[in-house]
Amino acid sequence: YFGNGVKIPFPSDANDKILEGRCFHHGRFIMRLREAAAANPNVTIVETKAVSTIKSTHTGDVLGVQCQTDGKQDFYFGPLTVVADGYASTFRKEYLPIQPVAKSKFWGLELIDAKLPIPGHGHVVLGDFPPILIYQIGEHETRILIDIPDNLPSASVANGGVKGHMRNVVLPSLPECIRPSFEAALEKGGFRSMPNSFLRPVTNRIPGLMFLGDSLNMRHPLTGGGMTVAFNDVVLLRNLLSPEAVPDLSDTKLVLKQLSKFHWQRKSLISVINILAQSLYSILAAGDPNLKVLQRGCFRYFQLGLIDGPIGLLSGIIRSPLVLLRHFYSVAFLTIWLHLTSKPIYLLPLTLFECIIVFLTACRVILPFVFAELQ
Protein backbone atom coordinates (compact mmCIF):
# COMPACT_ATOMS: atom_id res chain seq x y z
CA TYR A 1 0.00 0.00 0.00
CA PHE A 2 1.93 3.03 -1.33
CA GLY A 3 5.15 1.09 -0.74
CA ASN A 4 4.26 -0.13 2.76
CA GLY A 5 3.69 -3.83 3.30
CA VAL A 6 1.79 -5.97 5.75
CA LYS A 7 1.87 -9.76 5.85
CA ILE A 8 -1.50 -11.51 6.18
CA PRO A 9 -1.03 -15.25 6.87
CA PHE A 10 -3.79 -17.82 6.88
CA PRO A 11 -5.15 -18.70 10.33
CA SER A 12 -4.21 -21.91 12.13
CA ASP A 13 -6.42 -24.96 12.47
CA ALA A 14 -7.34 -26.75 15.70
CA ASN A 15 -3.89 -28.37 15.76
CA ASP A 16 -2.10 -25.01 15.40
CA LYS A 17 -1.11 -25.84 11.84
CA ILE A 18 -1.17 -22.81 9.56
CA LEU A 19 -3.62 -23.39 6.74
CA GLU A 20 -2.58 -22.78 3.14
CA GLY A 21 -4.17 -21.69 -0.11
CA ARG A 22 -3.28 -22.98 -3.57
CA CYS A 23 -2.70 -21.30 -6.93
CA PHE A 24 -2.31 -23.28 -10.14
CA HIS A 25 -2.51 -23.36 -13.92
CA HIS A 26 -6.24 -23.51 -14.53
CA GLY A 27 -5.91 -25.38 -17.83
CA ARG A 28 -3.77 -28.12 -16.30
CA PHE A 29 -6.20 -28.50 -13.45
CA ILE A 30 -9.16 -28.86 -15.82
CA MET A 31 -7.34 -31.53 -17.82
CA ARG A 32 -6.67 -33.49 -14.62
CA LEU A 33 -10.36 -33.26 -13.73
CA ARG A 34 -11.30 -34.59 -17.16
CA GLU A 35 -8.86 -37.46 -16.77
CA ALA A 36 -10.38 -38.32 -13.39
CA ALA A 37 -13.89 -38.20 -14.86
CA ALA A 38 -12.89 -40.32 -17.86
CA ALA A 39 -11.54 -43.01 -15.53
CA ASN A 40 -15.03 -43.48 -14.09
CA PRO A 41 -16.79 -46.41 -15.82
CA ASN A 42 -20.18 -44.68 -15.99
CA VAL A 43 -18.86 -41.47 -17.60
CA THR A 44 -18.71 -40.94 -21.36
CA ILE A 45 -16.82 -37.88 -22.60
CA VAL A 46 -17.84 -36.40 -25.95
CA GLU A 47 -16.13 -33.40 -27.52
CA THR A 48 -18.90 -31.38 -29.14
CA LYS A 49 -20.46 -27.92 -29.18
CA ALA A 50 -23.85 -27.47 -27.54
CA VAL A 51 -25.82 -24.96 -29.58
CA SER A 52 -29.29 -25.12 -28.02
CA THR A 53 -31.45 -26.98 -25.55
CA ILE A 54 -34.16 -29.40 -26.58
CA LYS A 55 -37.50 -28.68 -24.92
CA SER A 56 -40.68 -30.68 -24.69
CA THR A 57 -43.40 -29.09 -26.81
CA HIS A 58 -45.94 -30.39 -24.30
CA THR A 59 -44.49 -29.42 -20.90
CA GLY A 60 -41.61 -27.09 -21.76
CA ASP A 61 -39.19 -29.27 -19.76
CA VAL A 62 -35.61 -29.42 -21.00
CA LEU A 63 -34.93 -32.87 -22.45
CA GLY A 64 -31.33 -32.47 -23.60
CA VAL A 65 -29.13 -30.51 -25.99
CA GLN A 66 -28.65 -30.07 -29.70
CA CYS A 67 -24.98 -30.10 -30.69
CA GLN A 68 -22.54 -29.75 -33.53
CA THR A 69 -20.09 -32.66 -33.61
CA ASP A 70 -17.45 -32.52 -36.35
CA GLY A 71 -19.70 -30.19 -38.32
CA LYS A 72 -22.70 -32.49 -38.09
CA GLN A 73 -25.91 -32.01 -36.13
CA ASP A 74 -26.11 -34.18 -33.05
CA PHE A 75 -28.51 -34.67 -30.11
CA TYR A 76 -28.06 -35.79 -26.52
CA PHE A 77 -30.91 -36.53 -24.12
CA GLY A 78 -31.02 -36.92 -20.36
CA PRO A 79 -33.30 -36.29 -17.38
CA LEU A 80 -31.05 -33.46 -16.15
CA THR A 81 -28.94 -31.13 -18.28
CA VAL A 82 -26.22 -29.18 -16.44
CA VAL A 83 -25.16 -25.86 -17.95
CA ALA A 84 -21.61 -24.96 -16.91
CA ASP A 85 -20.39 -22.87 -19.83
CA GLY A 86 -18.68 -20.13 -17.86
CA TYR A 87 -18.93 -16.38 -17.55
CA ALA A 88 -19.93 -15.89 -21.20
CA SER A 89 -22.74 -18.46 -21.01
CA THR A 90 -24.77 -18.73 -24.20
CA PHE A 91 -27.76 -20.24 -22.37
CA ARG A 92 -28.06 -17.81 -19.46
CA LYS A 93 -30.07 -15.16 -21.32
CA GLU A 94 -32.70 -17.68 -22.31
CA TYR A 95 -33.33 -19.10 -18.86
CA LEU A 96 -32.15 -16.79 -16.06
CA PRO A 97 -33.87 -13.51 -15.13
CA ILE A 98 -30.64 -11.57 -14.46
CA GLN A 99 -27.40 -10.99 -16.32
CA PRO A 100 -23.85 -10.25 -15.11
CA VAL A 101 -22.59 -6.73 -14.53
CA ALA A 102 -18.94 -5.94 -15.31
CA LYS A 103 -17.31 -2.57 -14.68
CA SER A 104 -13.68 -3.53 -15.16
CA LYS A 105 -11.38 -6.13 -16.65
CA PHE A 106 -8.40 -8.03 -15.34
CA TRP A 107 -5.50 -7.96 -17.78
CA GLY A 108 -3.10 -10.81 -17.18
CA LEU A 109 0.55 -11.44 -17.91
CA GLU A 110 2.76 -14.37 -17.01
CA LEU A 111 6.04 -13.44 -15.37
CA ILE A 112 8.97 -15.82 -15.68
CA ASP A 113 11.27 -16.32 -12.68
CA ALA A 114 9.83 -13.31 -10.88
CA LYS A 115 11.34 -12.52 -7.49
CA LEU A 116 8.47 -11.94 -5.09
CA PRO A 117 8.88 -9.89 -1.90
CA ILE A 118 7.56 -12.88 0.08
CA PRO A 119 7.98 -16.10 -1.94
CA GLY A 120 5.05 -18.49 -1.88
CA HIS A 121 2.57 -15.74 -1.01
CA GLY A 122 0.00 -13.84 -3.03
CA HIS A 123 0.53 -10.09 -3.24
CA VAL A 124 -1.90 -7.19 -3.64
CA VAL A 125 -0.40 -3.87 -4.74
CA LEU A 126 -2.40 -0.75 -3.88
CA GLY A 127 -1.94 2.94 -4.54
CA ASP A 128 -3.51 5.68 -6.64
CA PHE A 129 -4.58 3.07 -9.17
CA PRO A 130 -6.86 0.01 -9.27
CA PRO A 131 -5.58 -3.09 -7.45
CA ILE A 132 -2.90 -5.40 -8.85
CA LEU A 133 -2.68 -9.09 -7.92
CA ILE A 134 0.50 -11.16 -8.12
CA TYR A 135 0.73 -14.85 -7.28
CA GLN A 136 2.92 -17.79 -8.25
CA ILE A 137 1.30 -20.57 -10.28
CA GLY A 138 4.30 -22.76 -11.08
CA GLU A 139 7.96 -23.31 -10.35
CA HIS A 140 8.97 -20.56 -12.76
CA GLU A 141 5.65 -18.87 -13.57
CA THR A 142 3.97 -16.04 -11.70
CA ARG A 143 0.69 -14.49 -12.76
CA ILE A 144 0.03 -10.78 -12.48
CA LEU A 145 -3.51 -9.48 -12.87
CA ILE A 146 -4.03 -5.77 -13.45
CA ASP A 147 -7.47 -4.33 -12.85
CA ILE A 148 -8.48 -1.73 -15.43
CA PRO A 149 -11.94 -0.18 -14.94
CA ASP A 150 -13.95 1.01 -17.90
CA ASN A 151 -12.87 4.44 -19.17
CA LEU A 152 -9.76 4.59 -16.99
CA PRO A 153 -7.93 7.76 -18.15
CA SER A 154 -4.44 6.25 -17.85
CA ALA A 155 -5.52 3.41 -20.17
CA SER A 156 -7.03 5.68 -22.81
CA VAL A 157 -5.86 5.57 -26.41
CA ALA A 158 -4.22 8.97 -25.95
CA ASN A 159 -2.10 7.54 -23.12
CA GLY A 160 -1.07 4.41 -24.97
CA GLY A 161 -4.01 2.18 -24.08
CA VAL A 162 -3.66 -0.80 -21.77
CA LYS A 163 0.05 -1.16 -22.49
CA GLY A 164 0.55 2.52 -21.71
CA HIS A 165 -1.18 2.07 -18.34
CA MET A 166 1.01 -0.93 -17.58
CA ARG A 167 4.21 0.89 -18.49
CA ASN A 168 3.43 4.31 -17.03
CA VAL A 169 1.39 3.41 -13.93
CA VAL A 170 1.86 -0.25 -13.04
CA LEU A 171 5.59 -0.70 -13.66
CA PRO A 172 6.76 2.17 -11.39
CA SER A 173 4.36 1.01 -8.66
CA LEU A 174 5.59 -2.58 -8.43
CA PRO A 175 8.19 -3.69 -5.89
CA GLU A 176 11.62 -3.29 -7.47
CA CYS A 177 12.33 -7.03 -7.37
CA ILE A 178 9.36 -7.72 -9.68
CA ARG A 179 9.99 -4.97 -12.23
CA PRO A 180 12.55 -6.80 -14.44
CA SER A 181 10.28 -9.81 -15.03
CA PHE A 182 7.27 -7.56 -15.54
CA GLU A 183 9.10 -5.42 -18.06
CA ALA A 184 10.17 -8.56 -19.94
CA ALA A 185 6.57 -9.80 -20.03
CA LEU A 186 5.42 -6.37 -21.15
CA GLU A 187 7.81 -6.44 -24.09
CA LYS A 188 6.79 -9.98 -24.98
CA GLY A 189 3.11 -8.98 -25.15
CA GLY A 190 0.35 -11.54 -25.45
CA PHE A 191 -1.89 -9.88 -22.87
CA ARG A 192 -5.11 -11.66 -22.01
CA SER A 193 -8.16 -10.14 -20.39
CA MET A 194 -11.49 -11.13 -18.93
CA PRO A 195 -14.33 -9.07 -17.46
CA ASN A 196 -14.64 -8.85 -13.69
CA SER A 197 -18.30 -9.74 -13.42
CA PHE A 198 -20.85 -9.86 -10.65
CA LEU A 199 -23.84 -12.15 -10.98
CA ARG A 200 -25.95 -12.91 -7.96
CA PRO A 201 -27.21 -16.50 -7.77
CA VAL A 202 -30.82 -17.40 -8.46
CA THR A 203 -32.72 -20.60 -7.76
CA ASN A 204 -32.73 -23.18 -10.55
CA ARG A 205 -36.42 -23.44 -11.47
CA ILE A 206 -36.29 -24.91 -14.99
CA PRO A 207 -37.47 -28.54 -15.10
CA GLY A 208 -34.71 -30.72 -16.52
CA LEU A 209 -32.05 -27.99 -16.40
CA MET A 210 -29.64 -26.52 -13.89
CA PHE A 211 -26.90 -23.90 -14.03
CA LEU A 212 -23.59 -24.30 -12.25
CA GLY A 213 -20.31 -22.41 -11.93
CA ASP A 214 -19.83 -18.96 -13.46
CA SER A 215 -22.95 -19.39 -15.57
CA LEU A 216 -24.92 -19.27 -12.30
CA ASN A 217 -22.96 -17.02 -9.95
CA MET A 218 -19.93 -14.74 -10.19
CA ARG A 219 -18.09 -12.32 -7.97
CA HIS A 220 -15.03 -10.13 -8.49
CA PRO A 221 -11.93 -12.38 -8.69
CA LEU A 222 -9.93 -10.06 -6.41
CA THR A 223 -10.32 -12.44 -3.47
CA GLY A 224 -9.75 -15.59 -5.52
CA GLY A 225 -13.01 -17.09 -4.28
CA GLY A 226 -14.17 -18.69 -7.52
CA MET A 227 -12.57 -22.09 -7.05
CA THR A 228 -13.57 -22.18 -3.38
CA VAL A 229 -17.16 -21.66 -4.48
CA ALA A 230 -16.84 -24.28 -7.23
CA PHE A 231 -15.52 -26.99 -4.92
CA ASN A 232 -18.15 -26.21 -2.30
CA ASP A 233 -20.95 -26.38 -4.88
CA VAL A 234 -19.78 -29.72 -6.25
CA VAL A 235 -19.62 -31.31 -2.80
CA LEU A 236 -23.04 -29.92 -1.91
CA LEU A 237 -24.61 -31.14 -5.15
CA ARG A 238 -23.01 -34.54 -4.78
CA ASN A 239 -24.97 -34.99 -1.58
CA LEU A 240 -28.23 -33.36 -2.67
CA LEU A 241 -28.45 -35.25 -5.98
CA SER A 242 -26.98 -38.54 -4.78
CA PRO A 243 -28.90 -41.77 -5.57
CA GLU A 244 -29.92 -41.91 -1.91
CA ALA A 245 -31.46 -38.42 -2.06
CA VAL A 246 -32.79 -38.62 -5.64
CA PRO A 247 -33.22 -42.23 -6.78
CA ASP A 248 -34.41 -41.11 -10.22
CA LEU A 249 -33.35 -37.84 -11.88
CA SER A 250 -36.51 -38.08 -13.99
CA ASP A 251 -38.43 -37.15 -10.84
CA THR A 252 -38.48 -33.48 -11.82
CA LYS A 253 -40.34 -32.25 -8.74
CA LEU A 254 -37.84 -33.88 -6.40
CA VAL A 255 -34.88 -32.58 -8.41
CA LEU A 256 -36.25 -29.02 -8.31
CA LYS A 257 -36.83 -29.37 -4.57
CA GLN A 258 -33.20 -30.42 -4.12
CA LEU A 259 -31.99 -27.55 -6.31
CA SER A 260 -33.95 -25.14 -4.13
CA LYS A 261 -32.15 -26.60 -1.11
CA PHE A 262 -28.89 -26.18 -3.01
CA HIS A 263 -29.61 -22.47 -3.52
CA TRP A 264 -30.11 -21.82 0.18
CA GLN A 265 -27.60 -24.25 1.66
CA ARG A 266 -24.74 -22.88 -0.44
CA LYS A 267 -25.36 -19.41 0.98
CA SER A 268 -23.67 -20.33 4.27
CA LEU A 269 -20.37 -20.03 2.39
CA ILE A 270 -21.14 -18.32 -0.89
CA SER A 271 -22.79 -15.24 0.61
CA VAL A 272 -19.68 -14.38 2.60
CA ILE A 273 -17.37 -14.80 -0.40
CA ASN A 274 -19.66 -12.88 -2.77
CA ILE A 275 -20.24 -9.95 -0.40
CA LEU A 276 -16.59 -9.75 0.62
CA ALA A 277 -15.30 -9.87 -2.95
CA GLN A 278 -17.57 -7.08 -4.18
CA SER A 279 -17.25 -4.78 -1.18
CA LEU A 280 -13.49 -5.24 -0.83
CA TYR A 281 -12.99 -4.47 -4.51
CA SER A 282 -15.04 -1.28 -4.16
CA ILE A 283 -12.76 -0.15 -1.33
CA LEU A 284 -9.45 -1.21 -2.88
CA ALA A 285 -10.32 0.26 -6.28
CA ALA A 286 -11.37 3.45 -4.44
CA GLY A 287 -13.20 5.28 -7.18
CA ASP A 288 -13.95 8.38 -5.07
CA PRO A 289 -12.34 10.29 -2.14
CA ASN A 290 -14.56 8.68 0.51
CA LEU A 291 -13.56 5.23 -0.68
CA LYS A 292 -9.93 6.35 -0.49
CA VAL A 293 -10.49 7.18 3.18
CA LEU A 294 -11.98 3.72 3.73
CA GLN A 295 -9.04 2.18 1.88
CA ARG A 296 -6.60 3.80 4.30
CA GLY A 297 -8.65 2.55 7.24
CA CYS A 298 -8.72 -0.97 5.80
CA PHE A 299 -4.94 -1.06 5.49
CA ARG A 300 -4.52 0.33 9.01
CA TYR A 301 -6.87 -2.40 10.28
CA PHE A 302 -4.51 -5.01 8.86
CA GLN A 303 -1.47 -3.19 10.25
CA LEU A 304 -2.98 -3.47 13.72
CA GLY A 305 -2.88 -7.24 13.34
CA LEU A 306 -6.64 -7.70 12.97
CA ILE A 307 -6.24 -10.25 10.21
CA ASP A 308 -7.44 -13.70 11.35
CA GLY A 309 -11.10 -12.84 10.86
CA PRO A 310 -10.76 -11.17 7.44
CA ILE A 311 -8.48 -13.87 5.99
CA GLY A 312 -10.73 -16.56 7.45
CA LEU A 313 -13.69 -14.98 5.66
CA LEU A 314 -11.77 -14.49 2.43
CA SER A 315 -10.63 -18.12 2.32
CA GLY A 316 -14.03 -19.60 3.14
CA ILE A 317 -12.95 -20.90 6.54
CA ILE A 318 -15.31 -18.57 8.41
CA ARG A 319 -18.80 -18.79 6.94
CA SER A 320 -20.76 -16.32 9.03
CA PRO A 321 -22.16 -13.19 7.33
CA LEU A 322 -22.47 -11.62 10.79
CA VAL A 323 -18.72 -11.97 11.32
CA LEU A 324 -18.19 -10.33 7.93
CA LEU A 325 -20.44 -7.40 8.87
CA ARG A 326 -18.69 -7.04 12.23
CA HIS A 327 -15.27 -6.76 10.62
CA PHE A 328 -16.51 -4.51 7.82
CA TYR A 329 -18.06 -2.00 10.19
CA SER A 330 -15.06 -2.25 12.52
CA VAL A 331 -12.99 -1.06 9.57
CA ALA A 332 -15.53 1.69 8.92
CA PHE A 333 -15.45 2.95 12.52
CA LEU A 334 -11.65 2.73 12.67
CA THR A 335 -11.56 4.77 9.46
CA ILE A 336 -13.85 7.39 10.97
CA TRP A 337 -11.70 7.60 14.11
CA LEU A 338 -8.50 7.98 12.08
CA HIS A 339 -10.11 10.66 9.94
CA LEU A 340 -11.49 12.48 12.96
CA THR A 341 -8.17 12.55 14.80
CA SER A 342 -6.18 13.60 11.74
CA LYS A 343 -7.92 16.97 11.35
CA PRO A 344 -7.44 20.14 13.44
CA ILE A 345 -10.04 20.93 16.08
CA TYR A 346 -11.27 24.09 14.35
CA LEU A 347 -12.44 21.95 11.43
CA LEU A 348 -14.48 19.70 13.72
CA PRO A 349 -17.93 20.53 12.23
CA LEU A 350 -16.69 19.84 8.70
CA THR A 351 -14.83 16.73 9.83
CA LEU A 352 -17.94 15.34 11.54
CA PHE A 353 -19.88 15.87 8.33
CA GLU A 354 -17.15 14.08 6.36
CA CYS A 355 -17.25 11.18 8.84
CA ILE A 356 -20.99 10.80 8.31
CA ILE A 357 -20.43 10.71 4.55
CA VAL A 358 -17.71 8.07 4.98
CA PHE A 359 -20.07 5.93 7.07
CA LEU A 360 -22.84 6.27 4.49
CA THR A 361 -20.33 5.34 1.79
CA ALA A 362 -19.46 2.18 3.72
CA CYS A 363 -23.15 1.29 3.89
CA ARG A 364 -23.53 1.98 0.18
CA VAL A 365 -20.62 -0.34 -0.53
CA ILE A 366 -21.80 -3.43 1.34
CA LEU A 367 -25.56 -3.33 1.88
CA PRO A 368 -26.66 -3.78 -1.77
CA PHE A 369 -24.68 -7.03 -1.91
CA VAL A 370 -26.08 -8.16 1.44
CA PHE A 371 -29.62 -7.62 0.16
CA ALA A 372 -28.76 -9.39 -3.11
CA GLU A 373 -27.75 -12.49 -1.16
CA LEU A 374 -31.05 -12.54 0.73
CA GLN A 375 -32.92 -13.35 -2.47
Side-chain angles (χ1 to χ4, degrees), residues 199-252:
L199 177 68
R200 69 172 178 85
V202 295
T203 306
N204 283 281
R205 302 182 187 276
I206 305 98
L209 184 72
M210 70 166 293
F211 285 81
L212 194 62
D214 283 352
S215 65
L216 172 68
N217 177 211
M218 289 183 281
R219 79 289 311 149
H220 197 285
L222 174 70
T223 58
M227 293 308 299
T228 304
V229 170
F231 286 131
N232 181 81
D233 282 354
V234 168
V235 171
L236 193 55
L237 273 176
R238 178 198 62 188
N239 298 330
L240 290 173
L241 296 181
S242 68
E244 293 76 21
V246 183
D248 184 359
L249 291 174
S250 298
D251 187 345
T252 303

Side-chain angles (χ1 to χ4, degrees), residues 336-357:
I336 289 170
W337 172 252
L338 293 173
H339 189 67
L340 192 63
T341 55
S342 67
K343 298 298 180 75
I345 189 67
Y346 64 84
L347 290 178
L348 182 60
L350 177 61
T351 305
L352 288 173
F353 176 76
E354 291 173 344
C355 289
I356 293 172
I357 298 300

Side-chain angles (χ1 to χ4, degrees), residues 26-37:
H26 184 260
R28 295 178 189 173
F29 177 70
I30 294 300
M31 293 306 296
R32 296 294 187 274
L33 285 179
R34 288 175 179 169
E35 290 172 6

Side-chain angles (χ1 to χ4, degrees), residues 299-318:
F299 186 74
R300 183 59 181 151
Y301 194 77
F302 295 149
Q303 282 184 316
L304 292 172
L306 302 169
I307 55 178
D308 281 357
I311 194 64
L313 292 162
L314 183 146
S315 58
I317 298 169
I318 299 175

